[in-house]
Amino acid sequence: MLCCGKKSVSVEPRSSINAEPGVKSTNRNKMTNEFASKVVVITGASSGIGAATAKELSKQGALLSLTGRNKEKLAQVADECKKLGAKDVLQVVGDVSKQEDMERIIKETADKFGEIHVLVNNAGFAAMSPIADLELEQFDRCFNVNVRAVLYLTKLALPYLEKTKGNIVNISSIASTNYTIPGFIIYGSTKASCDHVTKASALELAKSGVRVNAVNPAVVETNFASNAGVPEEQNEGFNAQQAKLHPLNERNIKVEEVVDAILFLASDKATMITGSCLRVDGGRALTGQ
């Protein structure tokens, strides 16, 4: 109870605030059915953050267009989504670094569902290399997936998003403003570009009623490190080292915590939020590391 002058105000405790660190709240994802019958395109949906986002949206009855390079893994995610409640799931096997595949993703989605409400630009490529060992092939691949695809898919989806007053969520990273992780000069540069694309497109598309935001996670509990080129035998040490750099609870970010941020920004609860790069980093940015 709080006393304000002569008045007493009762404040009921919230379980999500009082929960112990690492304990999931029973109030998680109260926005049930927020995405019912909404068409959501998710790139990089065959694993990690993309797959987890697709599954959470399935519980709310979304219509999903999932894309990824691995046909078998994508089919497995699609099957799980159907079991979880997705109203329909389109699978588009493709590589977002290829123009024809990006065009096919949006065309097949529009042909099947007729509209698009949310685009989640999640597909990403991580290159880890010091300048002395840098190869242009790594550079080109990283920029093609992490920047070029984000911008081109935004262009392709825009006519549909304008009609539905939909929105875009780009998956960026704290690497966009973090210069302390050795070997991440290419990856960090692409994520800085992703942030710029997010903010510039948010301003340009505001007049059309289309919102554009980004989620910038710190190190997430996925296979990111191995995909980035960290040797398998060093993965555990890398993850443990990075966990200590997150002041809040000194652990890495859970996938579902990133998904919660994505769903919030994509929902009607964020109708006046655009051009934001939402950090999910356990306070790491505050340390400058």
Side-chain angles (χ1 to χ4, degrees):
M1 180 177 290
L2 300 179
C3 294
C4 306
K6 295 182 179 180
K7 295 182 179 180
S8 296
V9 181
S10 295
V11 181
E12 295 297 327
R14 293 175 58 191
S15 58
S16 59
I17 294 177
N18 296 325
E20 295 180 11
V23 177
K24 292 182 181 179
S25 165
T26 55
N27 291 329
R28 183 172 177 269
N29 286 334
K30 278 289 188 180
M31 51 181 85
T32 305
N33 298 326
E34 172 86 19
F35 296 94
S37 298
K38 287 190 176 181
V39 180
V40 184
V41 179
I42 305 174
T43 66
S46 60
S47 64
I49 293 170
T53 301
K55 293 173 188 177
E56 195 59 45
L57 285 167
S58 298
K59 299 174 186 176
Q60 301 187 33
L63 296 162
L64 300 174
S65 174
L66 308 180
T67 183
R69 291 183 298 159
N70 189 307
K71 182 177 181 180
E72 290 72 25
K73 288 184 178 180
L74 192 64
Q76 183 178 357
V77 172
D79 287 342
E80 291 180 42
C81 287
K82 291 173 184 176
K83 293 175 182 178
L84 288 169
K87 289 197 171 181
D88 203 349
V89 182
L90 170 67
Q91 301 172 56
V92 185
V93 178
D95 184 343
V96 296
S97 70
K98 299 178 180 178
Q99 179 179 343
E100 59 272 22
D101 283 4
M102 288 189 281
E103 292 170 351
R104 184 164 53 82
I105 290 165
I106 299 303
K107 184 181 185 304
E108 291 189 14
T109 301
D111 287 347
K112 182 174 182 62
F113 297 119
E115 57 186 357
I116 297 173
H117 296 88
V118 181
L119 168 63
V120 181
N121 281 312
N122 168 72
F125 179 78
M128 194 171 185
S129 171
I131 295 174
D133 299 329
L134 186 151
E135 296 180 2
L136 284 179
E137 184 179 357
Q138 286 180 313
F139 181 91
D140 291 341
R141 174 71 180 170
C142 210
F143 266 90
N144 284 343
V145 174
N146 297 355
V147 184
R148 180 173 176 264
V150 170
L151 188 54
Y152 195 55
L153 284 168
T154 295
K155 166 191 164 63
L156 294 173
L158 183 56
Y160 304 98
L161 294 171
E162 287 179 327
K163 290 179 181 178
T164 61
K165 303 301 179 187
N167 69 86
I168 300 167
V169 181
N170 299 323
I171 308 307
S172 186
S173 167
I174 64 161
S176 65
T177 56
N178 185 305
Y179 318 110
T180 64
I181 305 176
F184 266 41
I185 188 168
I186 300 176
Y187 181 74
S189 297
T190 67
K191 292 307 181 179
S193 297
C194 181
D195 286 359
H196 183 89
V197 168
T198 297
K199 294 176 182 180
S201 55
L203 183 59
E204 181 177 333
L205 303 182
K207 62 181 181 294
S208 301
V210 176
R211 298 185 298 107
V212 188
N213 293 290
V215 175
N216 295 51
V219 177
V220 184
E221 294 177 349
T222 63
N223 57 354
F224 173 84
S226 57
N227 290 342
V230 177
E232 198 66 38
E233 63 274 12
Q234 296 178 22
N235 267 355
E236 186 174 342
F238 175 84
N239 289 327
Q241 179 190 44
Q242 293 298 310
K244 294 177 182 178
L245 299 176
H246 304 144
L248 187 62
N249 301 325
E250 292 191 352
R251 64 168 174 80
N252 289 326
I253 313 303
K254 297 181 184 299
V255 173
E256 57 264 29
E257 292 168 333
V258 181
V259 172
D260 283 346
I262 295 169
L263 265 58
F264 168 69
L265 289 174
S267 77
D268 290 340
K269 299 189 187 317
T271 50
M272 282 300 287
I273 300 177
T274 194
S276 291
C277 296
L278 178 59
R279 289 180 174 274
V280 183
D281 68 349
R284 180 166 176 172
L286 303 174
T287 71
Q289 298 186 70

